[in-house]
């Protein structure tokens, strides 16, 4: 779905229109009362001070107090309404970005996890500022219009100075707005990139220390941070120049009005009360002009954030969740599939699969079977896992992936997700406890206990008094690599999907624990309604599979049991039993 930054902003205005209109009206009332203050003071001078009328003075003071009460409450209530609208819109945008990022179909975006986080937080907040921009634009415009009318009533040339000078000032400021928008967008993009890099580096700090890569990582971060700093300074310099120009021009306009009023008073064309009114209006004129001069800079930031949100919300899904007509029998006759097909058996079949480094892979996994997949090249394993996890779209030329005998292209995505679970090598854990990281779906105590035992998490929970309720920090940073891997494996086993795909689930555990895990997986998954695929070169895991399929250079090059391949295949023996 195509969406633009302007579309994001228009939608924000539409769905908050009631609050925005109410707040704008109250802000306009506030500015109207603010503008009338110097007018009221001028009237007081003319009708009470110059005449010495005490009654008129008292009545005037009561009226002036009422004016201040109205303007004060109008601003407070209007500000409260617009703040609620801003926070509500920011919340809705955060939820929309999170929903898009977490869509089971995935999104086709080049943004890193850290950049997506920035879009869903900082950019969502800045985009919601459009409501405040509109409300303050309306109030500043009201102030300028009322000021111009008041000056026209007092003296036509003074009023015309405001009527003509203000649009010219706004035209100059509008000419600068696109430059600020580009600078703001560049600054926000660089800041998001450095935030994403920081997120990645913090998450991988342990591996970096292990390979001694802290220095290279730090230099990379410094370079990215310097680019972000340069972009931010360019924006700051542009904003400073812009605000300096607008403040100078606005002040000159106000000074010109005040100076003209002084001259008219000296020549007798203005009374003392009128002079006070004009000078007060000229001084007040600086405030709305300053507000309008700042708004284009804020609008530039808002538009930059809205464009980034539109990039995420408008990103195409990686895979489609559409039931299509599929040629399932190879006759060339593509019939419309059942609109709600369901998988009835744990069967996985790949035919002529071509994706990434794979070039025509055939693989069949029957119900109740455990199959090991040995990929001599890591790229082949990654490509296979990416396809099975549904991270990539499949077209007819890429071969066929069948689940339960049904082409996945004719299955609803939810049905595929329910049937096939892929536990990646680099699994993520979340802040919480060991229990909450394992039980992500409904699982009874017996299944949880069996999954914990099969994945050797028992050793972990026995080390702590809290057991399964032992706290886990963000990304599992409080656990060792092997402990994180075992908890992730327990999560996959506890989910108990009909088809489970494990990618190198034991690379961070010792050999004794690995053998125990291999036996646990075999025992737990040895059921006629379950199928298991283990993508690994671990001899312990391959030994408990029913058979092994070997992939090299993108093709299947050998099949057999682990024992037979270890005996007859020299390459297999060198790669697996090394």
């Amino acid at each position: 779905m195509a969406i633009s930054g302007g579309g994001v902003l228009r939608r924000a205005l539409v769905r908050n229109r009631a609050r925005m209109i109410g707040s704008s009206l109250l802000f306009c009332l506030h500015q109207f009362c603010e503008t009338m203050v110097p007018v009221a003071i001028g009237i007081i001078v003319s009708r009470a001070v110059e005449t010495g009328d005490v009654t008129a003075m008292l009545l005037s003071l009561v009226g002036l107090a009422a004016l201040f009460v109205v303007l004060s409450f109008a601003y407070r209530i209007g500000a409260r309404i617009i703040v609620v609208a801003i926070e509500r819109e920011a919340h809705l945008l955060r939820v929309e970005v999170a929903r898009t990022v977490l869509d089971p179909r995935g999104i086709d975006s080049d943004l890193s996890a850290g950049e997506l986080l920035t879009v869903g937080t900082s950019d969502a907040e800045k985009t919601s500022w459009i409501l405040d921009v509109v409300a303050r634009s309306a109030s500043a415009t009201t102030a300028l219009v009322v000021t111009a009318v008041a000056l026209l009533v007092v003296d036509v040339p003074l009023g015309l100075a405001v009527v003509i000078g203000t649009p010219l000032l706004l035209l100059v400021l509008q000419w600068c707005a696109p430059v600020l928008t580009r600078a703001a967008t560049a600054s926000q993009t660089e800041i998001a990139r450095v935030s994403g890099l920081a997120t990645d580096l913090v998450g991988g700090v342990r591996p970096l220390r292990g390979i001694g890569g802290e220095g290279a990582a730090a230099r990379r971060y410094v370079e990215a941070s310097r680019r972000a700093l340069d972009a931010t300074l360019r924006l700051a310099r542009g904003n400073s120049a812009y605000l300096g120009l607008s403040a100078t021009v606005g002040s000159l306009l106000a000074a010109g009005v005040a100076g003209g009023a002084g001259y008219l008073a000296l020549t007798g064309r203005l009374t003392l009360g009128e002079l006070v009114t004009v000078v007060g209006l000229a001084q007040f004129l600086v405030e709305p002009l300053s507000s309008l001069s700042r708004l284009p800079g804020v609008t530039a930031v808002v538009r930059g954030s809205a464009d980034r949100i539109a990039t995420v919300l408008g990103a195409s899904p990686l895979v489609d969740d559409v039931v299509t007509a599929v040629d399932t029998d190879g006759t060339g006759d593509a019939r419309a599939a059942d609109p709600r097909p369901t998988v009835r058996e744990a069967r996985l079949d790949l035919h002529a699969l071509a994706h990434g480094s794979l070039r025509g892979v055939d693989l069949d996994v029957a119900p109740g079977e455990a199959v090991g997949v040995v990929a001599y090249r890591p790229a082949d394993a990654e490509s296979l896992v990416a396809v099975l996890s549904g991270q990539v779209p499949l077209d007819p030329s890429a071969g066929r992936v069948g689940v339960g005998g049904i082409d996945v292209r004719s299955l609803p995505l939810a049905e595929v997700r329910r049937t096939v679970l892929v536990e990646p090598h680099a699994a993520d854990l979340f802040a919480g406890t060991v229990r909450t990281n394992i039980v992500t779906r409904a699982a009874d105590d017996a299944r949880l206990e069996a999954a914990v035992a099969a994945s050797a998490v028992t050793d972990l929970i026995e080390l702590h008094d809290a057991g399964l309720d032992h706290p886990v920090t963000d990304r599992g940073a409080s656990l060792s690599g092997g402990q994180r891997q075992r908890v992730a494996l327990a999560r996959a086993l506890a989910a108990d999907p009909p088809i489970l795909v494990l990618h190198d689930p034991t690379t961070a555990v010792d050999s004794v624990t690995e053998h125990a895990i291999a036996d646990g997986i075999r025992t737990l998954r040895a059921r006629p309604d379950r199928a298991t695929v283990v993508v690994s070169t671990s001899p312990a895991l391959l030994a408990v599979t029913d058979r092994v399929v070997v992939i090299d250079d993108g093709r299947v090059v050998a099949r057999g049991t682990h024992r037979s391949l270890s005996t007859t295949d020299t390459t297999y023996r060198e790669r697996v039993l090394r």
Side-chain angles (χ1 to χ4, degrees):
M1 177 182 65
I3 184 171
S4 64
V8 171
L9 296 178
R10 285 191 296 273
R11 188 184 57 178
L13 295 174
V14 170
R15 64 186 177 190
N16 293 278
R17 57 185 177 276
R19 288 188 175 90
M20 184 186 65
I21 292 173
S23 176
S24 298
L25 291 175
L26 288 170
F27 280 159
C28 290
L29 176 60
H30 164 76
Q31 288 288 36
F32 173 80
C33 293
E34 285 269 25
T35 310
M36 295 308 296
V37 168
V39 175
I41 293 175
I43 293 175
I44 292 173
V45 170
S46 297
R47 298 186 180 181
V49 175
E50 290 184 354
T51 62
D53 190 336
V54 176
T55 302
M57 174 64 73
L58 293 176
L59 292 175
S60 298
L61 291 177
V62 171
L64 189 62
L67 195 63
F68 274 104
V69 169
V70 173
L71 71 86
S72 176
F73 277 94
Y75 180 81
R76 289 187 179 186
I77 297 173
R80 178 173 298 180
I81 293 173
I82 201 63
V83 166
V84 170
I86 290 172
E87 294 301 325
R88 178 176 179 272
E89 179 61 25
H91 165 72
L92 292 176
L93 289 173
R94 287 194 295 269
V95 170
E96 286 178 321
V97 171
R99 183 185 297 118
T100 301
V101 172
L102 297 176
D103 192 314
R105 299 172 299 172
I107 60 171
D108 186 10
S109 174
D110 295 331
L111 297 178
S112 67
E115 290 177 291
L116 291 172
L117 178 63
T118 302
V119 171
T121 53
S122 176
D123 287 324
E125 179 185 1
K126 290 184 174 70
T127 300
S128 66
W129 293 350
I130 185 63
L131 303 174
D132 189 59
V133 168
V134 172
R136 293 190 182 279
S137 297
S139 65
T141 301
T142 298
L144 291 175
V145 170
V146 175
T147 298
V149 171
L151 290 174
L152 285 171
V153 171
V154 174
D155 187 81
V156 173
L158 294 177
L160 289 177
V162 175
V163 171
I164 297 174
T166 300
L168 292 177
L169 172 61
L170 295 180
L171 284 176
V172 172
L173 299 180
Q174 187 63 32
W175 176 76
C176 300
V179 178
L180 292 177
T181 300
R182 288 192 294 270
T185 301
S187 175
Q188 290 167 271
T189 299
E190 292 298 335
I191 291 174
R193 285 176 181 169
V194 77
S195 299
L197 178 59
T199 301
D200 294 339
L201 292 179
V202 170
V205 65
R206 286 191 177 183
L208 286 172
R209 288 173 179 170
I211 63 175
E214 304 100 311
R219 287 191 295 273
R220 182 182 174 194
Y221 179 80
V222 168
E223 292 173 359
S225 181
R226 185 175 292 114
R227 289 194 297 270
L229 175 62
D230 291 342
T232 303
L233 290 177
R234 285 195 296 271
L235 175 61
R237 285 192 292 267
N239 267 329
S240 298
Y242 169 81
L243 291 175
L245 174 64
S246 61
T248 300
V249 176
S251 298
L252 289 176
L253 177 61
V257 171
Y263 172 77
L264 294 177
L266 290 175
T267 59
R269 288 181 54 182
L270 293 182
T271 64
L272 178 59
E274 290 174 332
L275 176 62
V276 170
T277 296
V278 173
V279 172
L281 289 174
Q283 184 178 8
F284 170 73
L285 187 62
V286 176
E287 180 184 344
L289 287 175
S290 298
S291 296
L292 287 178
S293 67
R294 288 192 296 268
L295 288 177
V298 177
T299 303
V301 173
V302 170
R303 182 54 189 263
S305 291
D307 288 339
R308 288 170 55 76
I309 284 183
T311 300
V312 175
L313 298 184
S316 302
L318 284 174
V319 294
D320 294 325
D321 187 16
V322 179
V323 177
T324 58
V326 179
D327 176 18
T328 57
D329 54 10
T331 62
D333 182 14
R335 296 181 176 86
D338 182 350
R340 296 188 61 84
T342 58
V343 177
R344 301 185 183 277
E345 62 175 350
R347 179 181 297 277
L348 178 68
D349 59 280
L350 281 60
H351 177 67
L353 179 64
H355 169 71
S357 62
L358 301 180
R359 297 184 295 171
V361 170
D362 294 328
L363 174 65
D364 296 306
V365 183
E369 191 176 27
V371 175
V373 176
V374 173
Y376 291 154
R377 299 194 310 168
D380 292 340
E382 294 290 346
S383 297
L384 178 63
V385 170
V387 170
L388 295 180
S389 62
Q391 297 178 9
V392 295
L394 284 178
D395 55 56
S397 63
R400 179 183 186 275
V401 176
V403 176
I406 305 173
D407 194 306
V408 293
R409 289 173 290 145
S410 64
L411 282 171
L413 187 59
E415 182 68 10
V416 178
R417 293 280 190 264
R418 182 194 68 81
T419 307
V420 183
L421 172 62
V422 176
E423 184 64 24
H425 171 61
D428 289 318
L429 299 185
F430 308 95
T433 65
V434 174
R435 185 191 302 275
T436 58
N437 272 281
I438 295 176
V439 185
T440 56
R441 301 181 184 178
D444 54 34
D445 291 340
R447 186 194 302 175
L448 173 61
E449 184 178 345
V452 167
S455 57
V457 175
T458 309
D459 295 344
L460 167 62
I461 62 179
E462 289 178 349
L463 290 174
H464 306 282
D465 295 336
L468 282 171
D469 296 318
H470 176 66
V472 176
T473 58
D474 187 39
R475 291 196 167 202
S478 58
L479 304 178
S480 67
Q483 290 172 338
R484 289 197 298 271
Q485 206 168 50
R486 282 180 283 163
V487 171
L489 175 59
R491 178 174 59 197
L493 294 174
D496 194 29
I499 301 174
L500 176 62
V501 181
L502 301 174
H503 183 204
D504 284 333
T506 58
T507 54
V509 301
D510 59 82
S511 59
V512 175
T513 305
E514 187 175 37
H515 279 84
I517 290 174
D519 291 335
I521 293 173
R522 176 62 176 175
T523 301
L524 195 61
R525 298 288 300 175
R527 294 156 51 189
D529 60 343
R530 294 293 182 264
T532 308
V533 178
V534 180
V535 183
S536 176
T537 56
S538 165
L541 293 175
L542 297 173
V544 299
T545 61
D546 297 303
R547 55 190 175 90
V548 177
V549 176
V550 181
I551 300 175
D552 188 21
D553 197 24
R555 300 183 185 277
V556 175
V557 296
R559 300 175 189 269
T561 65
H562 172 65
R563 180 183 296 273
S564 64
L565 289 172
S566 299
T567 303
T568 61
D569 192 321
T570 303
T571 304
Y572 181 87
R573 185 166 56 249
E574 291 176 351
R575 297 293 184 93
V576 175
L577 303 179
R578 61 186 184 277

